[in-house]
Structures are given as structure tokens and as C-alpha cells.
Amino acid sequence: MRKLDEEWGLKVGEEARKNFSRWLEDGFIERYLSGEKILDIGFQGYLDEVHPITPNAIGIDLEYPGYDGRTLPFDERSQDAVFVSHCLEHIEDYRTVIADWFRVLRVGGYLIIAVPHQYLYERKLMLPSRFNLDHRRFYTPGSLMREIEEALDPMSYRVRMLTDNDRGFDYSIPPEEHAGGCYEILFVAEKIERPEYAPEVLRSPKIRNETAGTFVSLPRPSASSPVRAISGSKAPETIVVFKLDHLGDFILARPALERLRAAFPEAQLTLVCGAWNAGAARELGIFDEVVEFAIFERNAALNEVTSMADRLLSLRKLFAGRTFDLAIDLRIDEDTRDVLENVTARTRAGFGWPKDFDFLDISMPVQSPTVTGRAGVWIYDARRFYALAGTNDGLSITIEPGCYAENQTLIYGPYCKLEPADYEVTLHLADETGAMPPFRYDIVCDSGNLTLAYGDLADPGDGISFRLDNPVDDLEIRIFATGVETGRLVFRGCTINKEGVTLGPHQTEMMAMLVALVEQRMAYGPRIDTVA
């Protein structure tokens, strides 16, 4: 490898340069980054004139020839190391991307990932990030490891490092101010040759140790109203399409946009996108008009945050006096759906459930493989719960002995929204000795009319497993007293873990499916369908 010294480290990415001299001294670079073929993914970050992590490394960003943000333009087993610093948290489809980083590694090569630590950098329980609105997820060592395990064949790698890096971290800085020092999780995996016996190991069935109780699938709701009829007397003459995403997401919509043009070749087709995607949009040659407009910034960390209400007001002014036959929002996430209400259109189409977006004339309820299928952890403290006995100071609910009756509901909450998935709930309830009291519980929704799980409380660390087949808006956990006397009890809330799954269509396919649905609905005469 060519000369590598501390002077080089002054020119690498912002986060990596904090560690560079120490990595030289303790042998980290010699051990993991001394190969001839190294990729540094997202190496520039938000800075200019940045070098890759070593002189031999190739810096990869969205401008690199042949790179689409998902698939690296390199052969399998061609690289000695892939280095990714503070990049993964910006990527929605983490399974696909992690798997591709791993694909290009040779056997014996290293995948090195650094992400900001939830309790060092973010220092809050839930999104959004205080300091970078483009962060899609918060990370602990456990949640990072879950994503790795979802993305990679467990028989193809071994973990060589998983550690908190708080070197020089200033614990006196309050959470609302940006952290100082290092505030990351560092992960290293080595690619190994897959053993011949791997298929036999992975063929073993998954065993679940369920908590005793009843698990009820939610029934499919009956139709309350017919599907809206869309007049097909003539093809739409004016169409506006919204693709309001961050830099790099536009390319995923290309197949859907090309299909839309093929379906309505005579229509005046207007695209609304961020200025950073406008050039690529014009190069496609399928739009009559490209309008530059931003709901999100190209770089969320470096731009002042404008309220959604102000952005929508700007949109209304931009299209004042214009009427479209058809308006489509192609973003999978629901955070831009309101743009459709702020333009004048005879027909509106987008992703989502009709009950959530009643202004959609053509709606496609879908489960996003990068959002719905994502593993997640939610922590609900005592503020999200109510107590019929005892006191609640926000941090915990304290219940003194003798202040409740048998079968009395003691604690209930948190009335949260959950998507269809497998879940495990851990209740943080214990008596003075640290033991779980001999109480009962149930988990319900639909104002208590549907029971998802019930049973006796076990040890504090034991989880309660249940499955949701449909989304719920009001998940309720209830804890009931029994006739057994207990000492002083303290309840500190609960943790809900969502199991990640790999769903079917990718977002590229789903956008094409929405366009196909629009084509069908707009091509035929009016009809009324009901859902059985």
C-alpha cells in the first residue's frame, strides 16, 4: 500500500478523521484497511475536497459512474474492504445495500460500518433526528446488528468488532446541542467461505417460544362504501406527477415514468421534482414540463427547515389557475401525500389507505419493503400509560401495597399505532426485589374489542409475542391485579420490538404497479366495485 500517515488522515471524511491517528497507532488500519482494493462508500459526506479513507481506496458517491445508490459497479469478490462511515442511516433499503456491499468483498475481506449512536449522537428515543432530518433510523449496537443479520447469510461472515466509540465524547453537553467528540458505533465483519454444511444448518425450522395466551388475527373489514368510479370517456390530456425525494431516489421511478408516458402518449406531462433531479428528468425526454420544487432539501443537514404548511402554500401559489385531469404522487412514504390536495385535479392517485387519504380517487394500499418490513424498537415510558392506583411522575408509576383490589385494572396504555408484523413486548414492571408481580395482562385493540394476547406475567425479561395482520391505531396493554399480595411496585413503561421481514415488491416495482392501476382505472368506463 502507498504511503499512509497522519497528514492523509486530515483530509478524509469528517467523522473518520477523528479516529484516523488512533487507528494508525492501534493497528486498526493495518488489520482491516491495508488491502490494495478498497471502496469508501459516501466518502465525501457534506464536505468538499475530501480524500477516501486510504490512498488505495476508491471514493464512491452518487456521481460515481455506473453507481445508482444500490448496486456497486464492481465484480463479486473483487474488493479487500468496504468502508462505510455515517452513511447507512441515510439509506432506506438497507437490506439490499448492505448485501451488495458484502457481495463485492473477497473471502477474507472486511465490511466496516460506522453509524451515529442513538444515545451519544441523537440522544432521543424517536425520530426525527435533532441534527439531521435525513436520518431514517436510530442505531444502538443491537439494532445495527439486527440489520446486518437481516441482510446477510449468517453462514457467510463472522463479526470481528462491534463497539461503542465515545472517544473524547463530552458528556456535559446537553442533548439539544450537537455532541462533541466521537459518538458512533463501529462494526467490522469478515467474509468467510460458506461451509458445505450451511444448507443443513439453515434448513432447521424456526422455533418460537410464545408466551401463553390467545393470538387472534384481525378480521378483514367489510366494505363501508364502493370503490370510486373513474370516468373513462377520454384519456387525460394534462397530467402532473410529483416525485419529491432526496438526491439519488429519482432513478428508481424511471420505469414507472416511462410506463406512464407510454400509457398516455398524447397527454401534456408535467413533472414536479427537486432541482437536483431536474437535469436527470429532462434527459429522459418524456416530460413536456419539469417544474423544480422542494418538499425536502437536497441535503437536509445543511439547509434551514421550512414548515410543511409553508411549502404547501408555495405549491398552491406555483400552480394557481392551473387544472389537471390527473395528479399522481409517486413517493411511497406518506409524508408527501398532502401535495395532491394542494393542486387542482379532477383525479388524484397515490399510495395509501383510503381511510387515511379520503381525497385519493385511485389509491394503492401497499407495504413498503423499506419501511413496513423494517425491524424497529419503540420505547414507551410511563407518560404514555395511565394508572387507576398509585402515582405517575412521568418516569415511572409507583403502586403501594394494599391500594388495589383483585381483578382491578391497574395500568393501561400506550395507545400506539402499529403496522402488520410480528411483535414482542417487554413490560418494565417489578416489585422491590426486582421480580415480576403475579399479575395478569392482555393486549387489545379496537377499543378493547379484539384480543391479541393475554396471560400471566412471567419474569421481567420475558417478552410477550403477538402478530398483527392489519394495522391498528390504538394498541392497548392492560395489567390486572390478582388476589396475591405484593410489595411496592414500580412500572417504567414497555419496549415493543418489531421483527423485520423481507417483503415482496421493491419500491421501483410498486411505483410501476401504481401507474398500471391508474392506466386501468382511466382506460375503462365507469363502474362500481365493492369489497367483499
Side-chain angles (χ1 to χ4, degrees), residues 299-347:
N299 181 339
L302 299 181
N303 288 279
E304 193 173 301
V305 177
T306 305
S307 73
M308 180 62 78
D310 289 340
R311 304 259 174 135
L312 294 176
L313 177 61
S314 299
L315 181 67
R316 289 197 296 273
K317 292 179 179 179
L318 183 63
F319 287 102
R322 297 183 63 177
T323 299
F324 297 93
D325 294 325
L326 172 64
I328 306 175
D329 182 8
L330 278 181
R331 182 168 165 84
I332 306 292
D333 293 350
E334 298 177 351
D335 48 8
T336 62
R337 211 65 72 244
D338 289 340
V339 300
L340 294 176
E341 273 200 306
N342 286 272
V343 294
T344 303
R346 296 184 177 89
T347 303

Side-chain angles (χ1 to χ4, degrees), residues 227 230 259 264 328 349-351 361-366 510-524 527:
V227 174
I230 308 298
R259 175 164 188 157
F264 305 107
I328 306 175
F351 296 100
D361 303 290
I362 302 174
S363 61
M364 176 175 282
V366 295
M510 289 191 291
M511 287 185 282
M513 291 164 62
L514 176 60
V515 170
L517 179 61
V518 169
E519 181 181 0
Q520 290 294 313
R521 292 279 179 90
M522 301 296 288
Y524 296 96
R527 67 178 187 272

Side-chain angles (χ1 to χ4, degrees), residues 136-429:
R136 310 299 176 92
R137 298 172 300 283
F138 289 170
Y139 282 104
T140 65
S143 63
L144 174 59
M145 197 63 232
R146 270 197 302 274
E147 291 191 1
I148 299 296
E149 290 177 342
E150 289 175 20
L152 302 182
D153 178 349
M155 305 298 290
S156 65
Y157 70 95
R158 295 280 71 85
V159 177
R160 301 306 181 203
M161 179 181 292
L162 180 62
T163 185
D164 289 350
N165 177 17
D166 62 347
R167 180 172 177 262
F169 184 83
D170 188 346
Y171 284 93
S172 68
I173 298 176
E176 60 271 14
E177 297 180 17
H178 198 284
C182 297
Y183 37 69
E184 64 191 0
I185 302 161
L186 187 60
F187 167 86
V188 181
E190 180 181 358
K191 189 170 189 174
I192 65 170
E193 194 69 60
R194 197 170 190 260
E196 292 183 2
Y197 57 75
E200 180 181 351
V201 174
L202 299 180
R203 198 162 41 239
S204 303
K206 182 179 179 182
I207 305 299
R208 292 180 64 93
N209 183 15
E210 303 283 6
T211 302
T214 298
F215 305 91
V216 181
S217 297
L218 298 182
R220 184 181 182 187
S222 58
S224 56
S225 61
V227 174
R228 297 183 188 184
I230 308 298
S231 174
S233 57
K234 65 176 183 176
E237 297 178 356
T238 55
I239 302 173
V240 60
V241 182
F242 292 92
K243 194 69 182 82
L244 301 169
D245 286 305
H246 301 290
L247 180 66
D249 293 337
F250 177 78
I251 193 170
L252 299 178
R254 179 171 178 168
L257 294 169
E258 290 176 339
R259 175 164 188 157
L260 183 66
R261 169 51 81 194
F264 305 107
E266 304 301 322
Q268 174 80 15
L269 188 56
T270 298
L271 175 75
V272 183
C273 66
W276 47 91
N277 286 323
R282 293 186 178 100
E283 288 179 3
L284 284 179
I286 62 175
F287 303 107
D288 299 288
E289 178 186 21
V290 176
V291 177
E292 298 178 9
F293 181 80
I295 286 288
F296 307 107
E297 301 295 348
R298 177 183 188 275
N299 181 339
L302 299 181
N303 288 279
E304 193 173 301
V305 177
T306 305
S307 73
M308 180 62 78
D310 289 340
R311 304 259 174 135
L312 294 176
L313 177 61
S314 299
L315 181 67
R316 289 197 296 273
K317 292 179 179 179
L318 183 63
F319 287 102
R322 297 183 63 177
T323 299
F324 297 93
D325 294 325
L326 172 64
I328 306 175
D329 182 8
L330 278 181
R331 182 168 165 84
I332 306 292
D333 293 350
E334 298 177 351
D335 48 8
T336 62
R337 211 65 72 244
D338 289 340
V339 300
L340 294 176
E341 273 200 306
N342 286 272
V343 294
T344 303
R346 296 184 177 89
T347 303
R348 297 179 175 91
F351 296 100
W353 296 87
K355 68 182 181 64
D356 296 326
F357 304 105
D358 59 3
F359 54 83
L360 289 179
D361 303 290
I362 302 174
S363 61
M364 176 175 282
V366 295
Q367 295 181 343
S368 168
T370 58
V371 177
T372 308
R374 180 184 301 156
V377 180
W378 294 270
I379 300 173
Y380 296 102
D381 60 23
R383 288 173 292 185
R384 294 292 297 266
F385 288 83
Y386 301 88
L388 292 180
T391 58
N392 187 342
D393 63 7
L395 296 176
S396 62
I397 295 174
T398 303
I399 302 175
E400 300 294 340
C403 69
Y404 52 85
E406 183 176 359
N407 295 323
Q408 179 182 354
T409 303
L410 297 179
I411 300 167
Y412 53 99
Y415 303 105
C416 57
K417 291 185 177 183
L418 292 179
E419 300 168 334
D422 288 322
Y423 292 91
E424 184 176 81
V425 174
T426 300
L427 299 173
H428 305 302
L429 173 66

